[in-house]
Amino acid sequence: ETCEQNCGKKLDSCSCHPTCGSLGSCCSDYKEYCVNTSPYSGSILGGTDFVVLDANFNKSSDIVCRFDNKTNTVGYVDGDGRGHCISPLLYETGWVSLQISSDSGITFNRAGSWLSVHTGKLASRFKAILVNSTKWQYYGTPNVGGNLQMTWNTTLVNAEKVNIEVWGYKETGEPYSESWQGEWRYLYSLTKDHPNSGSFTFLPKIAEGDFSRWELGALRVSSSNYTDGMNVQAAWSEDHALAWHLEESFRQNSTGWALDKCLAWDKLENELPNFLAEIIDCPCTLAQARADTGRFHTDYGCDIEKGSVCTYHPGSVHCVRAIQASPKYAAGQQCCYDSTGAQVLTADSIGGSTPDRAHDWGSPPFKKPPRIPGQSHWVYDVLSFYYCCLWSDNCYHYFKHRPSSDCRRYQSPSSAVVFGDPHFITFDDVSYSFNGKGEYTLVRSEEKQLTVQGRTEPVKDSEKTINATKLTAVAMREGSSDIIEVRLDSRNDGLELLRNQQTLSFAEQTWMDLHSVFVFSPIPTNVTVMFPSGAGVEVRRRGETMTTTVLLPEEFKNSTVGLLGKMNGDARDDLTLSNGELVQNHSNPEELFSFGASWAVENTSALFTYDSEYLLNTYCFVPRHDPNFMPVFSVPENPDDPLNTQAAEICTGEGSQFCRYDILVGRSPLIGNATRVSFQSHVSLVDDLKPVISCGWLPPPANGKKQGTTYLQWAKVKFSCNDGYKLSGSEERTCQSNGKWSGEDASCSVPSNITGIVAGSVIGALTLIVIITAIILHSRKQKRKSSDSDEERSNTSKL
């Protein structure tokens, strides 16, 4: 039998399934037709040259590589007889199918897969780097000019001379219609036949013709041996605003040019549907944002672990993004925090949290706007920020459409944990130990279709058998998602990951978009799994044990069963057997053991991989709970035990009973110490996720200002007025425990002076009366004098 056209299948006489290698059951041509590649990942923009491992080709082989069942690229055979493929420009991230033909595309009989990676998540060693990227994207604005430089790893392009190509990206058609399309296009070359020295410096010129109207794009370094724009081995820069080649009107008056673009975007936004109502609210604090790993993940553009270089969010030290795009409009949420851990709002700062019409990381099924990873976000959320905020000072237009959401609707997830020789803390904070041997249901939610299972194995000691177990593997699935399994790697001190029973390597990437699930593994001992429901599973290796934390959002309330209990806020029913009966005595280890055993996985629902004779014989072909394994239920009191001193030193404070058990029964101070660390980490996690009261944003009064930009419980905000205005309402307001602000709304107005006005009017009127009276009296007096004079003259004449 052959593996040609049968990869992934188990045949009658041999196997083409990924587990066949470790089981020794592979068909003889398994590696020939079920291929692996090196590297196994590359940029979504394409251009990665990879080798097809273990397959045989000859010089006459005419290789064609097909990606995602539709995109063909031309491969080649090198001097050593190895087949190569060149990855194409894709409009999706994650694993895509790979089929390989050696007869010019007539038959595609070899099968594998290829990991397409978002440019922002791609390691810098795989990219061309824009030196001083800020200068590139402000080029042509006041006081920004001169030469630009880019660098690249010369091994990314196997050529003596290279071309530096300019590519542009646009989206056309009516938004949210079938005609809405995204397109990358080769525009022109900055230079040709440039030495492949790893560096290129140039003085930018305005692009010719209509090319200068392309505002978003990237640079590609490719071999000069090929025609421009061909799909060949290449190194791409990150996508960026092409300020440095824009039209003359931008160079002459970048502020006016940008304002016109900003106003046009403002008009378009008014016509597009409102996506704000369907995105998730931000966590209230940085601690919550970093702890809620099932729903939020670090934004690579503003990471406190990498120096908080927050170009688009000045004043922030860390941002996170909602992992899942919104259901209808594929929108995203970004949440940013300052050095105090408080959320930064756009109403207070240009560096505030902003929602996104298009999620930066894209969303399934990808391929069309607004779900194209990276570029759709640039078109609708980033270029507009340049128009309104960076290239001109008109941010109020931008923030009108991208206002920060506060956290008044945010609800922290509930957490539960398994650690040590296994100890459990449920969602409702019931703690117990269960040392059964087998495979068990940790969490199951029929409503949300989530299942998390755990496998336990006996603790091993070279000197004697120890009647205690530890968690060695967890497997999980939500709905029709890929099955993710994480287990202790016996070959090293890390964790082994499997996707649908096939090992996943994180040697090249730390993040993977899989089918209906995301996986993040920054270091070999840490794995985080994120499902569309917002459920998150964190697995951490500590020494010879693994700690598994499950985080579930409020929507899982009243729907969970299993060893981690019912998530309903009622601790009394957490320890419920699979038949519905309650554990009566939480202090009785035998009763707890029966409870745990009842949650053994059924054979038909097991999610685990059985890729060794040991696993097949120990777990697959036998009952999932081993009835013959009986653990030690309590810590023996032996004053002569040589480990007593270490147990006393290591195991102190809350949770010390778990640590003591693992040292004195498990006979391992290392496991005991790992248990202590895991318990304390869980306590810290619960503390970070505690609900926080928010009273919401307070505006400054018109003609005044406010002091204070924190709006959580007991925060104070003070108000004052500009010169010439008087404050009405409360000068200081406090966020109260009921989520409402104390005091009254503040306002500023011109001081009122009615009494003065009235007094002035009265005095003015009296003065007027006096003047008029004086004039009249003076006039009468003058008339009398005139009359007396006339009479005197008359008398004189008579004389």
Side-chain angles (χ1 to χ4, degrees), residues 544-697:
E544 294 303 311
T545 66
M546 62 191 298
T547 298
T548 300
T549 301
V550 181
L551 298 124
L552 299 181
E554 185 71 11
E555 290 78 7
F556 278 82
K557 191 172 182 179
N558 295 314
S559 75
T560 67
V561 295
L563 294 181
L564 294 178
K566 293 185 175 182
M567 194 185 102
N568 59 6
D570 184 357
R572 294 172 299 179
D573 64 359
D574 263 20
L575 304 187
T576 302
L577 279 72
S578 60
N579 62 8
E581 295 181 5
L582 289 176
V583 171
Q584 299 301 313
N585 183 359
H586 290 194
S587 301
N588 185 325
E590 285 83 1
E591 195 172 350
L592 288 173
F593 189 74
S594 297
F595 155 73
S598 77
W599 285 108
V601 172
E602 297 179 3
N603 285 4
T604 55
S605 61
L607 301 177
F608 292 99
T609 302
Y610 306 96
D611 54 357
S612 69
E613 292 297 330
Y614 166 74
L615 291 175
L616 286 170
N617 295 328
T618 309
Y619 295 97
C620 187
F621 299 147
V622 297
R624 299 305 167 112
H625 169 72
D626 186 349
N628 299 317
F629 182 86
M630 293 301 294
V632 175
F633 288 122
S634 58
V635 178
E637 296 297 331
N638 180 5
D640 298 325
D641 191 325
L643 294 178
N644 277 336
T645 300
Q646 291 188 66
E649 292 175 350
I650 296 172
C651 308
T652 59
E654 188 181 5
S656 60
Q657 71 275 20
F658 303 131
C659 172
R660 282 179 52 80
Y661 181 94
D662 293 356
I663 292 178
L664 299 177
V665 175
R667 311 308 296 168
S668 174
L670 290 176
I671 293 180
N673 188 58
T675 292
R676 178 186 63 84
V677 172
S678 295
F679 179 84
Q680 292 175 346
S681 296
H682 182 70
V683 170
S684 297
L685 175 67
V686 171
D687 187 60
D688 288 341
L689 289 173
K690 281 182 179 177
V692 176
I693 302 297
S694 171
C695 295
W697 178 72

Side-chain angles (χ1 to χ4, degrees), residues 242-465:
L242 301 177
W244 48 272
H245 91 162
L246 290 179
E247 55 194 336
E248 179 67 28
S249 55
F250 177 79
R251 297 250 181 130
Q252 293 297 324
N253 182 8
S254 60
T255 301
W257 185 95
L259 175 58
D260 289 342
K261 292 284 186 178
C262 177
L263 294 176
W265 173 81
D266 177 46
K267 181 180 179 181
L268 173 63
E269 279 291 317
N270 287 329
E271 299 169 354
L272 296 178
N274 186 347
F275 65 89
L276 297 175
E278 69 168 4
I279 57 175
I280 187 174
D281 257 16
C282 286
C284 292
T285 66
L286 177 58
Q288 286 179 332
R290 300 188 73 187
D292 191 351
T293 52
R295 294 184 291 181
F296 294 92
H297 186 76
T298 297
D299 179 0
Y300 50 80
C302 183
D303 185 355
I304 198 171
E305 299 291 340
K306 296 180 180 178
S308 300
V309 181
C310 305
T311 303
Y312 301 113
H313 296 276
S316 298
V317 299
H318 193 74
C319 295
V320 297
R321 290 191 181 275
I323 294 166
Q324 306 294 336
S326 66
K328 184 176 182 180
Y329 296 115
Q333 176 67 287
Q334 185 188 47
C335 311
C336 297
Y337 302 86
D338 63 20
S339 57
T340 70
Q343 187 190 0
V344 183
L345 304 180
T346 53
D348 294 323
S349 166
I350 189 177
S353 313
T354 52
D356 301 316
R357 179 169 291 283
H359 198 298
D360 183 16
W361 304 336
S363 60
F366 304 110
K367 301 176 185 177
K368 291 186 62 175
R371 300 179 182 273
I372 295 176
Q375 282 76 62
S376 289
H377 173 60
W378 259 100
V379 169
Y380 283 90
D381 302 298
V382 184
L383 280 178
S384 49
F385 188 74
Y386 278 85
Y387 300 152
C388 301
C389 300
L390 300 183
W391 292 341
S392 74
D393 189 15
N394 297 281
C395 258
Y396 57 91
H397 289 297
Y398 185 82
F399 292 140
K400 177 174 65 175
H401 300 289
R402 301 291 187 270
S404 299
S405 71
D406 60 25
C407 64
R408 282 178 289 177
R409 293 182 301 160
Y410 173 76
Q411 292 180 303
S412 297
S414 297
S415 62
V417 66
V418 189
F419 60 101
D421 292 350
H423 312 295
F424 298 76
I425 302 177
T426 69
F427 293 108
D428 295 333
D429 203 31
V430 173
S431 58
Y432 69 97
S433 298
F434 167 62
N435 268 266
K437 174 192 171 188
E439 295 174 349
Y440 306 93
T441 297
L442 300 180
V443 182
R444 188 175 72 236
S445 170
E446 296 290 349
E447 180 181 330
K448 297 293 183 181
Q449 297 183 296
L450 173 71
T451 299
V452 183
Q453 300 172 350
R455 175 189 290 154
T456 61
E457 298 183 44
V459 176
K460 297 177 181 178
D461 185 273
S462 57
E463 297 179 4
K464 60 180 180 179
T465 301

